[in-house]
Amino acid sequence: MRLFNAWEMGQDQTKQQIEKGLHLYQSNQTEKALRVWMRVLEKSADPAGRFRVLGCLITAHAEMGRYKDMLKFAVVQIDTARELEDPDFLTESYLNLARSNEKLCEFQKTISYCKTCLNMQGTTVSLQLNGQVSLSMGNAFLGLSIFQKALECFEKALRYAHNNDDKMLECRVCCSLGNFYAQIKDYEKALFFPCKAAELVNDYGKGWSLKYRAMSQYHMAVAYRKLGRLADAMDCCEESMKIALQHGDRPLQALCLLCFADIHRSRKDVQTAFPRYDSSMSIMTEIGNRLGLIQVLLGVTKCWMIQKELDKALESIEKAQELAEGLGNKLGLLKLHCLCERIYRTKGQQRELRDHVVKFHECVEEMELYCGMCGESIGEKNNQLQALPCSHFFHLKCLQTNGTRGCPNCRRLSVKPGYV
């Protein structure tokens, strides 16, 4: 009986210390919170308490951009979940492992761990996590430029959010959808979705972390810049950066610095853009955001091209190409081949020019970045797009003109080659 009481007291102390850490963390005393949680991890013999404190450490390190530490704690949490022999704990720990790899741009691993989560037979709690799993998987497919599968995952995540009335998840999915449409250049939708996220924050986010507001403002800034509304872009980015600085959110600081640099480049003010690209690159390198580094190097390349420093532009392209090939980011490679085409055309180097034209079209074919109705490219310029239930997307004007008698892309994929 005494042993049982001592064990129960230990559980209570663990809970109290975890709550103390959460209070410190929410008060922006992050380092103190981490010390409290680490003491719990070292001293507690309660597996459920250890699991919960590991979840706190994973979240905190994610928000600070310490992704390698996040992964380290996720691996320990998997072992703790196995010790507990509970499918809900195991699903949650695999989700954290997937998210850690997503942040480190290990997209194939992310997809693999997400599939493990979805294949687990747990209880209601596990089913509620499926929305977050689908979101993480969608972000990974987007990192690999597999657009149809990314959109399919985001739409699943959105359905889970609606079915469970999970406004926080809905907010995060809307931000990811904004990023999705920004990449394939439907800038109206790229703005619509983060605006929807901002509405959710205003209507439901009284007790939420300010990171949700900062996240929606950042994605709005990106869309406004693409639409040429540079003053609006600057206002949103400044608000996002202010919150990121207050909360020590290094990943978001890096993204805001990149956005600031892009805004100045859009104004042809490359001298102001360069130091912001440098600052963003420094943080991206520190935290391991290789996908972000590709975007920084693309911006730097365009600045050198504005200044007609073509050899320096090619140096930046070479660095970005190495990163894009390593990650399997096909859209990044397409953009780099496009820039090379312009540079070699200016230089009059016909052989190199032809090489990059061929590679550019190979990327378009591989990503299926063309409308299955009119055959014209998608993602070359701002165009309104519409997805069908299968998640293939087309020019809106083509769907309106030709109707939606099934998906032409799906029909082509279902046609089996016969004997010649």
Side-chain angles (χ1 to χ4, degrees):
M1 190 63 151
R2 283 179 184 172
L3 282 172
F4 180 77
N5 288 341
W7 176 74
E8 235 182 14
M9 282 174 64
Q11 275 191 318
D12 290 341
Q13 286 173 354
T14 299
K15 285 178 185 175
Q16 287 170 8
Q17 288 301 302
I18 291 171
E19 292 301 325
K20 180 183 175 182
L22 283 169
H23 179 73
L24 288 166
Y25 187 69
Q26 287 159 3
S27 306
N28 286 335
Q29 298 181 65
T30 305
E31 293 301 330
K32 285 184 179 178
L34 292 178
R35 285 197 292 272
V36 169
W37 288 330
M38 285 304 296
R39 279 199 300 273
V40 173
L41 194 61
E42 289 162 10
K43 293 180 179 180
S44 177
D46 169 30
R50 285 171 59 80
F51 185 90
R52 191 178 171 210
V53 83
L54 282 162
C56 294
L57 287 163
I58 288 164
T59 301
H61 283 88
E63 292 184 359
M64 289 186 292
R66 298 179 188 173
Y67 298 141
K68 288 180 181 176
D69 288 330
M70 179 190 180
L71 178 60
K72 180 182 72 177
F73 290 120
V75 170
V76 177
Q77 194 184 46
I78 285 269
D79 293 335
T80 309
R82 289 193 179 118
E83 188 183 338
L84 286 159
E85 297 181 343
D86 185 303
D88 283 341
F89 284 125
L90 203 55
T91 303
E92 186 178 336
S93 60
Y94 269 108
L95 170 59
N96 283 328
L97 199 56
R99 286 174 55 238
S100 303
N101 279 283
E102 178 201 326
K103 299 295 185 186
L104 287 164
C105 303
E106 296 286 352
F107 299 126
Q108 294 290 1
K109 288 182 182 178
T110 302
I111 292 163
S112 176
Y113 289 128
C114 285
K115 286 179 178 177
T116 301
C117 288
L118 294 173
N119 289 333
M120 285 182 180
Q121 297 299 313
T123 58
T124 311
V125 178
S126 288
L127 292 173
Q128 287 174 351
L129 289 176
N130 282 351
Q132 295 181 47
V133 174
S134 296
L135 174 58
S136 189
M137 193 186 289
N139 289 334
F141 278 126
L142 189 56
L144 295 169
S145 309
I146 305 173
F147 294 107
Q148 185 205 1
K149 288 187 176 179
L151 185 57
E152 191 179 312
C153 289
F154 292 146
E155 287 174 341
K156 278 182 185 174
L158 207 52
R159 283 197 295 275
Y160 280 119
H162 290 154
N163 292 340
N164 292 301
D165 198 29
D166 188 339
K167 301 299 182 187
M168 283 187 184
L169 176 60
E170 186 179 350
C171 180
R172 289 168 59 203
V173 177
C174 283
C175 288
S176 286
L177 281 165
N179 184 24
F180 174 89
Y181 282 108
Q183 289 195 30
I184 58 173
K185 295 192 178 179
D186 182 343
Y187 296 148
E188 283 74 15
K189 284 191 178 70
L191 179 60
F192 168 81
F193 281 105
C195 283
K196 174 66 177 171
E199 281 178 24
L200 288 165
V201 173
N202 288 334
D203 293 345
Y204 302 99
K206 192 176 179 182
W208 297 6
S209 164
L210 280 172
K211 73 174 183 182
Y212 289 95
R213 179 167 184 79
M215 188 168 55
S216 62
Q217 292 296 314
Y218 161 72
H219 286 286
M220 285 166 65
V222 170
Y224 278 134
R225 187 193 71 81
K226 303 261 188 192
L227 287 163
R229 295 169 59 177
L230 301 184
D232 290 328
M234 186 62 83
D235 287 345
C236 288
C237 200
E238 283 175 348
E239 183 170 354
S240 183
M241 185 59 151
K242 183 180 176 183
I243 296 169
L245 288 169
Q246 285 173 349
H247 290 263
D249 188 335
R250 300 284 282 166
L252 187 56
Q253 288 170 31
L255 291 172
C256 288
L257 285 163
L258 170 58
C259 189
F260 283 135
D262 285 340
I263 292 167
H264 290 297
R265 175 174 55 78
S266 298
R267 291 172 171 164
K268 300 292 188 287
D269 183 2
V270 295
Q271 295 307 321
T272 309
F274 271 130
R276 283 152 184 78
Y277 282 128
D278 288 343
S279 297
S280 179
M281 187 182 294
S282 176
I283 299 174
M284 298 276 194
T285 304
E286 172 199 321
I287 66 179
N289 185 353
R290 290 173 288 162
L291 194 60
L293 280 172
I294 295 168
Q295 300 308 311
V296 173
L297 288 163
L298 280 166
V300 169
T301 299
K302 290 172 185 176
C303 283
W304 288 127
M305 289 172 74
I306 290 169
Q307 293 194 318
K308 297 184 169 41
E309 296 271 10
L310 301 186
D311 290 332
K312 288 182 178 178
L314 286 170
E315 286 175 16
S316 294
I317 285 173
E318 189 179 343
K319 292 174 188 173
Q321 189 169 344
E322 187 180 340
L323 285 166
E325 286 173 351
L327 294 182
N329 181 243
K330 292 183 280 290
L331 184 62
L333 288 169
L334 180 143
K335 290 179 178 180
L336 292 164
H337 291 312
C338 185
L339 292 172
C340 284
E341 180 190 338
R342 286 167 53 191
I343 290 169
Y344 287 120
R345 192 181 298 279
T346 304
K347 281 173 161 275
Q349 294 178 227
Q350 295 304 315
R351 191 180 68 179
E352 289 84 353
L353 169 63
R354 283 193 297 272
D355 183 42
H356 285 287
V357 168
V358 169
K359 287 176 179 175
F360 173 85
H361 288 293
E362 285 173 354
C363 286
V364 170
E365 286 292 323
E366 193 177 353
M367 289 185 284
E368 296 183 7
L369 276 180
Y370 51 83
C371 177
M373 291 187 173
C374 70
E376 290 183 11
S377 63
I378 284 173
E380 189 177 341
K381 59 184 178 181
N382 184 20
N383 248 318
Q384 284 187 288
L385 305 172
Q386 183 63 49
L388 294 181
C390 59
S391 297
H392 282 119
F393 43 90
F394 303 86
H395 292 128
L396 178 61
K397 63 175 188 270
C398 294
L399 288 173
Q400 289 171 337
T401 304
N402 300 310
T404 54
R405 296 183 299 276
C407 173
N409 287 15
C410 289
R411 279 201 301 273
R412 275 195 296 275
L413 289 169
S414 66
V415 174
K416 294 179 181 178
Y419 291 104
V420 178

